[in-house]
């Protein structure tokens, strides 16, 4: 029965999500207390807003993390769903408790190191929590909601939100702090992308060649990749005729691109090849990531 088949995987998923969220909380708290807070640096998003309020008032960060995220939690429940909202609530409460109960030592006062490594640990923490099914920063929920309502890209909304935050930092703290905070945000966002997408960024490859069968054998035998073949008709012919041909589609990692190109060149130098980036894949002959 389908129900009994799913049961053994449930504990594993719970343990995996718990590990990701817990590790994310510790990493984010370490980045905040050991780097950003002692040096009055901020980040983008809800975390940046909380840090900015902390630096300009007497309110503690652990309480602001909850208060500022609360509207986004309610929005996440409405826009994304109950499971996401529950995991995000647990992650944010966990981060707040960690900041309140655990005291991390200050690592350095070097501003460049603070901005880079503070952003690194904070971005890693947010990325790990996303891998666990929740978030530590509710700004992305707002960006998703506004992008649907306004018909804009999520990235454009995030840029607009963070621009306002950094302008406020420049006014309330200093221009220097705002500039270093922008560097912190860049380090955090790049680390987040790395944690969520992994080192092996996948590439989708479409190949059109008269030697499609030889290319198929090469991809299967030499690269060990699965592929899909579908029939197509050429749309460009001066005499009005349409050529019928086979199209090969496969997914490889960026580390295999050079090898694939070289092998195709040996078989058919005139092959038409189109590549596009893919953030993640599931199933098929793509190997699973370790995390």
């Amino acid at each position: 029965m389908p129900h009994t088949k799913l049961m053994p995987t449930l504990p594993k998923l719970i343990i995996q999500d718990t590990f990701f969220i817990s590790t994310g909380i510790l990493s984010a708290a370490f980045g905040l207390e050991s780097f950003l807070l002692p040096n009055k640096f901020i980040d983008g998003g809800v975390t940046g807003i909380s840090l900015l309020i902390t630096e300009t008032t007497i309110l503690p960060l652990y309480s602001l993390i909850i208060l500022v995220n609360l509207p986004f939690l309610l929005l996440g429940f409405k826009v994304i769903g109950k499971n996401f909202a529950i995991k995000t609530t647990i992650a944010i409460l966990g981060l707040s408790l960690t900041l309140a109960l655990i005291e991390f030592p200050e690592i350095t006062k070097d501003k460049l190191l603070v901005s880079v490594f503070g952003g690194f640990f904070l971005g890693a923490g947010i990325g790990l929590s996303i891998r666990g099914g929740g978030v530590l920063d509710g700004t992305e929920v707002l960006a998703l909601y506004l992008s649907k309502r306004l018909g804009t890209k999520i990235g454009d909304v995030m840029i607009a939100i963070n621009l306002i935050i950094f302008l406020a930092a420049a006014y309330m703290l200093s221009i220097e702090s705002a500039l270093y905070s922008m560097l912190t945000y860049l380090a955090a966002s790049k680390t987040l992308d790395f944690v969520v997408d992994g080192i092996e960024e996948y590439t989708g490859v479409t190949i059109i060649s008269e030697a499609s069968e030889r290319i198929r054998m090469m991809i299967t035998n030499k690269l060990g990749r699965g592929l899909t073949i579908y029939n197509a008709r050429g749309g460009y012919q001066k005499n009005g005729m349409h050529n019928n041909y086979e199209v090969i589609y496969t997914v490889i990692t960026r580390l295999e691109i050079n090898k694939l190109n070289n092998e195709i060149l040996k078989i058919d130098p005139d092959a038409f090849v189109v590549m596009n980036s893919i953030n993640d894949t599931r199933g098929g002959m793509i190997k699973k990531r370790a995390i």
Side-chain angles (χ1 to χ4, degrees):
M1 293 177 64
H3 179 69
T4 58
K5 186 178 180 180
L6 290 176
M7 285 297 290
T9 65
L10 186 58
K12 181 180 177 181
L13 289 174
I14 293 174
I15 293 172
Q16 178 178 285
D17 290 348
T18 302
F19 170 77
F20 282 137
I21 292 175
S22 301
T23 308
I25 289 170
L26 291 174
S27 178
F30 178 68
L32 288 169
E33 288 202 345
S34 295
F35 293 94
L36 302 183
L37 269 175
N39 294 277
K40 298 184 182 298
F41 285 4
I42 69 170
D43 183 37
V46 170
T47 307
I49 296 172
S50 302
L51 286 166
L52 188 60
I53 296 175
T54 298
E55 297 300 342
T56 54
T57 66
I58 58 172
L59 296 174
L61 180 62
Y62 62 83
S63 62
L64 287 169
I65 288 289
I66 297 176
L67 292 174
V68 180
N69 269 299
L70 186 59
F72 302 105
L73 287 173
L74 299 174
L75 187 61
F77 178 80
K78 177 182 178 181
V79 175
I80 301 177
K82 179 180 177 181
N83 189 46
F84 169 82
I86 291 174
K87 288 185 177 181
T88 299
T89 301
I90 293 172
I92 291 172
L93 288 175
L95 177 60
S96 177
L97 287 172
T98 302
L99 291 172
L101 300 177
I102 301 178
E103 185 174 345
F104 293 93
E106 182 180 355
I107 301 300
T108 179
K109 288 188 176 295
D110 185 281
K111 293 182 178 180
L112 183 59
L113 293 177
V114 168
S115 59
V116 173
F117 284 95
F120 170 80
F121 285 107
L122 182 58
I126 296 173
L128 287 168
S129 68
I130 292 175
R131 294 290 297 273
V135 294
L136 293 176
D137 192 307
T139 317
E140 293 186 7
V141 179
L142 176 62
L144 177 62
Y145 175 75
L146 291 177
S147 67
K148 290 181 177 180
R149 293 293 298 270
L150 303 176
T152 59
K153 294 181 179 179
I154 295 177
D156 294 338
V157 177
M158 290 293 295
I159 290 173
I161 293 172
N162 289 317
L163 180 62
I164 296 172
I165 294 172
F166 291 128
L167 287 174
Y171 176 76
M172 300 172 69
L173 299 176
S174 68
I175 294 178
E176 183 183 31
S177 293
L179 292 174
Y180 275 113
S181 297
M182 290 175 69
L183 185 59
T184 300
Y185 171 71
L186 290 174
S189 62
K190 289 298 181 183
T191 306
L192 190 157
D193 291 340
F194 175 80
V195 172
V196 173
D197 296 335
I199 190 172
E200 292 186 339
E201 180 181 343
Y202 296 110
T203 300
V205 185
T206 302
I207 307 167
I208 300 174
S209 168
E210 294 181 357
S212 59
E213 179 61 21
R214 292 174 61 194
I215 292 176
R216 181 190 71 80
M217 294 295 292
M218 177 271 294
I219 294 173
T220 303
N221 296 330
K222 291 190 176 182
L223 296 183
R225 293 295 182 187
L227 51 84
T228 299
I229 299 176
Y230 51 94
N231 295 319
R233 299 177 65 197
Y236 177 74
Q237 284 290 337
K238 293 182 180 180
N239 57 10
M241 300 294 291
H242 298 275
N243 289 335
N244 294 320
Y245 48 79
E246 291 182 337
V247 177
I248 295 175
Y249 181 80
T250 187
V251 177
I252 61 175
T253 68
R254 60 183 176 182
L255 302 178
E256 296 170 310
I257 291 176
N258 185 58
K259 182 177 181 180
L260 177 64
N261 283 331
N262 289 335
E263 293 296 333
I264 292 176
L265 191 62
K266 294 176 185 176
I267 297 171
D268 182 7
D270 297 323
F272 181 67
V273 182
V274 178
M275 298 187 182
N276 58 286
S277 296
I278 299 173
N279 287 335
D280 201 1
T281 62
R282 186 177 301 276
M285 296 182 70
I286 297 294
K287 63 182 178 182
K288 294 181 179 179
R289 292 179 300 190
I291 59 172

